Amino acid sequence: QVQLVESGGGLVQAGGSLRLSCAASGSISYITSMGWYRQAPGKQRELVAHIITGGSTNYADSVKGRFTIYRDNAKNTVYLQMNSLKPEDTAAYYCYALILPDGSRKTSNYWGQGTQVTVSS
């Protein structure tokens, strides 16, 4: 079984910072990519940031220059450093990973349980 466990959400004032973490565990052969989506009430889930094994990253325009995604491949963990937070960043943040499980020939997407980020004005 593969699991993603997130941590680091919370309440912060506008202009503040938070760091989210997401650790993948279980029978993992290889992780191709990891990233974060977010979903605010009444809105569709949107991609926030994405990183592939080689280190290439991709960000939503709304977070460029404020958020940084990075990975610790040895720990199968992805981080999202969020600076200069704005009230519009308030959402549930979900980690995902594209993983090849041990003994499998096919990669699958796995999701974390979500962590709430609330930014007060």
Side-chain angles (χ1 to χ4, degrees):
Q1 290 288 348
V2 174
Q3 275 191 318
L4 300 184
V5 178
E6 302 160 354
S7 61
L11 173 64
V12 65
Q13 287 189 332
S17 298
L18 284 173
R19 190 182 77 160
L20 305 182
S21 302
C22 173
S25 63
S27 301
I28 296 171
S29 178
Y30 189 76
I31 299 177
T32 302
S33 60
M34 301 184 82
W36 296 88
Y37 276 77
R38 68 185 180 186
Q39 187 167 21
K43 295 188 177 181
Q44 288 189 331
R45 189 175 291 195
E46 63 171 351
L47 177 66
V48 177
H50 170 88
I51 183 168
I52 64 173
T53 301
S56 295
T57 58
N58 188 40
Y59 295 92
D61 288 343
S62 58
V63 307
K64 283 180 182 176
R66 301 187 298 120
F67 290 11
T68 302
I69 188 170
Y70 57 101
R71 278 173 67 171
D72 183 335
N73 291 326
K75 295 181 179 179
N76 287 337
T77 299
V78 64
Y79 303 91
L80 185 68
Q81 178 65 45
M82 305 184 294
N83 298 328
S84 302
L85 282 161
K86 304 175 180 180
E88 51 263 43
D89 294 318
T90 296
Y93 284 70
Y94 297 90
C95 166
Y96 76 92
L98 185 59
I99 294 173
L100 179 67
D102 283 342
S104 176
R105 296 182 178 180
K106 181 181 176 183
T107 57
S108 296
N109 267 323
Y110 292 85
W111 292 88
Q113 77 282 5
T115 186
Q116 181 65 36
V117 171
T118 302
V119 184
S120 63
S121 56

